[in-house]
Amino acid sequence: MWQSIRSLIFQTPCPLCQKPSQDQFCRDCTGQIFSHRFPPKFQQWQGNFPRFVWGQYEGQLRRALTVMKFEQQPDIGIWLGEQLAEQWLQQPQAKTKFRPQVVPIPLNPRKQAQRGFNQAERIAAGFCRLTGYVLHPQALQRVKDTQALFGLSPGDRRRELQSALATGPGFNTRRPWLILDDIITTGTTALEARRIMEEKGAKVLGIVAIAAPSFSQPMELRQQ
């Protein structure tokens, strides 16, 4: 009886459907989010700039990312980062004695001021909590207020990002890096981040992310 009462007391509304939940999401929404997880063979880690993506950007996974960013729910990012870490740690590329450092893709300063947090940094915090990797949230900084990249051609994306990123506090070349983002589309931002870091002598292993639009690897990443 006490367990039943305790469960009722500590339940909170699921941020996606408002049903009572004892976890980050209710059981139904959690199941729907996991239904979008890529099978291991599609999560990929190959080529000159490997990527590892947890799931497909659709359905309740897409909604979870949207609610996190636009409804002030940064804890969703921590939860998503932990799911990403659990899957990552099962992969061969994670089984190395050289633990990488993690840097999130920096958010447009104006957007971060409005939102109050960088969603990629919240995901990275959850990811590093489980992996034990060191997080350097400011090792990359966005120094130019870029316009939204969605809808721009690959060439326009590259031009918009020119001189937009720079290394910042915490950047070093002692150990290799993993770049982390919430969503990968064309990969333009990740490629620019890698370029900036490698110009300063760092080794970048690849990028990890929660979601991508499809199983296929982004064209710009394939061409590297």
Side-chain angles (χ1 to χ4, degrees), residues 42-53:
F42 289 120
Q43 286 165 333
Q44 305 183 59
W45 189 259
Q46 57 189 336
N48 291 332
F49 190 31
R51 73 166 200 167
F52 179 85
V53 183

Side-chain angles (χ1 to χ4, degrees), residues 161-177:
L161 282 169
Q162 190 172 12
S163 302
L165 302 179
T167 56
F171 175 79
N172 65 79
T173 59
R174 293 190 298 272
R175 283 185 289 160
W177 291 87

Side-chain angles (χ1 to χ4, degrees), residues 69 71 79 87-88 115 156 158 181 186 199 209 211 215 223:
K69 291 190 283 188
E71 296 185 20
W79 186 88
Q87 199 74 3
W88 166 262
R115 189 170 297 163
D156 287 340
R158 285 191 292 270
D181 207 358
T186 65
E199 280 187 351
F215 288 148
Q223 291 175 342

Side-chain angles (χ1 to χ4, degrees), residues 49 105-106 140-144 146 149 157-167 179 186-199 204 207 220-221 224:
F49 190 31
I105 290 291
L140 276 175
Q141 297 186 332
R142 195 173 294 244
V143 294
K144 185 174 80 172
T146 55
L149 301 181
R157 285 174 181 251
R158 285 191 292 270
R159 283 186 286 274
E160 184 65 23
L161 282 169
Q162 190 172 12
S163 302
L165 302 179
T167 56
I179 297 171
T186 65
T188 308
T189 306
L191 287 167
E192 178 65 9
R194 180 186 70 167
R195 185 187 69 79
I196 293 295
M197 297 176 76
E198 289 185 342
E199 280 187 351
V204 178
I207 180 168
E220 292 191 28
L221 295 185
Q224 295 304 302

Side-chain angles (χ1 to χ4, degrees), residues 18-169:
Q18 303 307 308
K19 291 178 184 175
S21 173
Q22 292 176 265
D23 299 309
Q24 180 64 57
F25 303 106
C26 71
R27 184 178 300 177
D28 288 343
C29 289
T30 299
Q32 290 179 55
I33 289 171
F34 272 81
S35 73
H36 301 300
R37 182 174 58 180
F38 287 148
K41 67 179 180 178
F42 289 120
Q43 286 165 333
Q44 305 183 59
W45 189 259
Q46 57 189 336
N48 291 332
F49 190 31
R51 73 166 200 167
F52 179 85
V53 183
W54 190 83
Q56 189 160 9
Y57 185 55
E58 63 177 24
Q60 285 296 74
L61 177 55
R62 179 172 183 165
R63 175 156 166 70
L65 287 162
T66 300
V67 168
M68 171 182 62
K69 291 190 283 188
F70 301 113
E71 296 185 20
Q72 294 296 307
Q73 297 275 355
D75 286 350
I76 291 177
I78 299 291
W79 186 88
L80 289 170
E82 290 173 347
Q83 310 317 307
L84 179 64
E86 286 187 3
Q87 199 74 3
W88 166 262
L89 289 171
Q90 298 175 33
Q91 309 308 309
Q93 63 269 14
K95 295 172 173 57
T96 172
K97 63 180 180 180
F98 299 107
R99 289 187 172 187
Q101 305 172 98
V102 177
V103 59
I105 290 291
L107 189 62
N108 181 302
R110 174 175 47 82
K111 284 186 179 179
Q112 182 158 343
Q114 293 171 346
R115 189 170 297 163
F117 64 95
N118 174 4
Q119 68 273 4
E121 190 276 327
R122 292 290 81 206
I123 294 167
F127 181 80
C128 290
R129 177 185 293 177
L130 261 65
T131 60
Y133 298 168
V134 176
L135 172 62
H136 292 287
Q138 297 186 40
L140 276 175
Q141 297 186 332
R142 195 173 294 244
V143 294
K144 185 174 80 172
D145 191 356
T146 55
Q147 65 172 305
L149 301 181
F150 179 78
L152 297 180
S153 69
D156 287 340
R157 285 174 181 251
R158 285 191 292 270
R159 283 186 286 274
E160 184 65 23
L161 282 169
Q162 190 172 12
S163 302
L165 302 179
T167 56

